[in-house]
Amino acid sequence: MVSVFDCSVEAELLAGLRAARGAIGRGELVVMPTDTVYGLAADAFRPEAVQRLLEAKERDREAPPPVLIPGIPTLAALSEVVPDEITALVREFWPGALTVVVEARESLTWDLGETRGTVALRMPDDTIALNLLADTGPLAVSSANLSGRPAALTCHDALDMLGDRVAVYLDAGPRGTAPVNGRDNGSTIVDATSLGLPEGRLRILRHGVIPDAEIARIVGAERIA
């Protein structure tokens, strides 16, 4: 049975967070607000839950979901190495609409898909999301839409697309904006995995909410491919 909670009502918010925690603990899926778009969440450390997320979106393992985390310290816990450029970026833009792709710590026992040893991490700037993450720990979270369809900017959008594939929906009102000047309405994604190489550079994989010029301001234009 699908449960939808209006998070503008305090009693429903508290009940919704409890229900979401329970669903995540059972390996089920939750639709949650973020500071960009609505996200489809699963326990990052339960392979069957991540597979359920991919199947709900009708996406294959070649497109692994990013992982949302509750704070900057978790970045170091999940990453093999945190380059200085990434430290500077997250200090500036976290919590916020910046996703960083780094080498995943080899000791992690998870299966997010065909990640090739990397992981995409973000700390969202959303109170509801951070409250849930504080209780559950890292969550695999992809945009709450069917693959190839526009990202869900409202909980109703997500419900229309995903229906009973999701156990709990947390409705916190409209999120994000329509794409502007070629920029995506999701987070800006940067790839730091080659920074350790002699001629390595930071790559911008998705031109999202944070403009490219702001990334260059922090790390220096010469450090961007």
Side-chain angles (χ1 to χ4, degrees), residues 5 16 23 29 42 46 55 72 79 90-92 96-97 101 111 113 126 199:
F5 296 88
L29 304 181
R46 294 184 66 157
E55 291 173 355
I72 289 177
S79 308
V90 300
R91 285 177 176 169
E92 180 74 13
V101 179
D111 182 5
D126 183 274
E199 300 299 323

Side-chain angles (χ1 to χ4, degrees), residues 33-62:
T34 78
D35 47 332
T36 54
V37 298
Y38 274 83
L40 178 64
D43 186 340
F45 291 96
R46 294 184 66 157
E48 71 278 11
V50 175
Q51 183 60 35
R52 186 173 290 120
L53 182 155
L54 294 173
E55 291 173 355
K57 285 178 60 72
E58 300 176 3
R59 176 180 285 185
D60 61 30
R61 287 173 52 82
E62 293 296 324

Side-chain angles (χ1 to χ4, degrees), residues 39-195:
L40 178 64
D43 186 340
F45 291 96
R46 294 184 66 157
E48 71 278 11
V50 175
Q51 183 60 35
R52 186 173 290 120
L53 182 155
L54 294 173
E55 291 173 355
K57 285 178 60 72
E58 300 176 3
R59 176 180 285 185
D60 61 30
R61 287 173 52 82
E62 293 296 324
V67 173
L68 294 190
I69 58 178
I72 289 177
T74 312
L75 170 63
L78 299 180
S79 308
E80 194 67 35
V81 176
V82 181
D84 292 343
E85 291 85 350
I86 293 301
T87 298
L89 285 171
V90 300
R91 285 177 176 169
E92 180 74 13
F93 296 117
W94 278 9
L98 176 72
T99 299
V100 299
V101 179
V102 294
E103 294 180 12
R105 192 171 288 276
E106 290 186 5
S107 59
L108 292 174
T109 55
W110 61 11
D111 182 5
L112 299 172
E114 300 303 324
T115 64
R116 297 168 179 83
T118 68
V119 62
L121 300 171
R122 184 166 91 86
M123 178 187 178
D125 189 11
D126 183 274
T127 301
I128 294 172
L130 290 174
N131 281 341
L132 182 58
L133 289 163
D135 286 337
T136 62
L139 294 175
V141 181
S142 186
S143 55
N145 60 305
L146 295 177
S147 185
R149 297 275 297 276
L153 300 183
T154 69
C155 188
H156 184 74
D157 291 341
L159 183 59
D160 276 350
M161 285 186 275
L162 299 172
D164 62 4
R165 303 178 190 190
V166 175
V168 174
Y169 289 81
L170 300 178
D171 187 351
R175 305 278 109 172
T177 60
V180 177
N181 296 330
R183 296 210 311 271
D184 195 282
N185 50 22
S187 64
T188 297
I189 303 178
V190 298
D191 181 355
T193 56
S194 65
L195 282 176

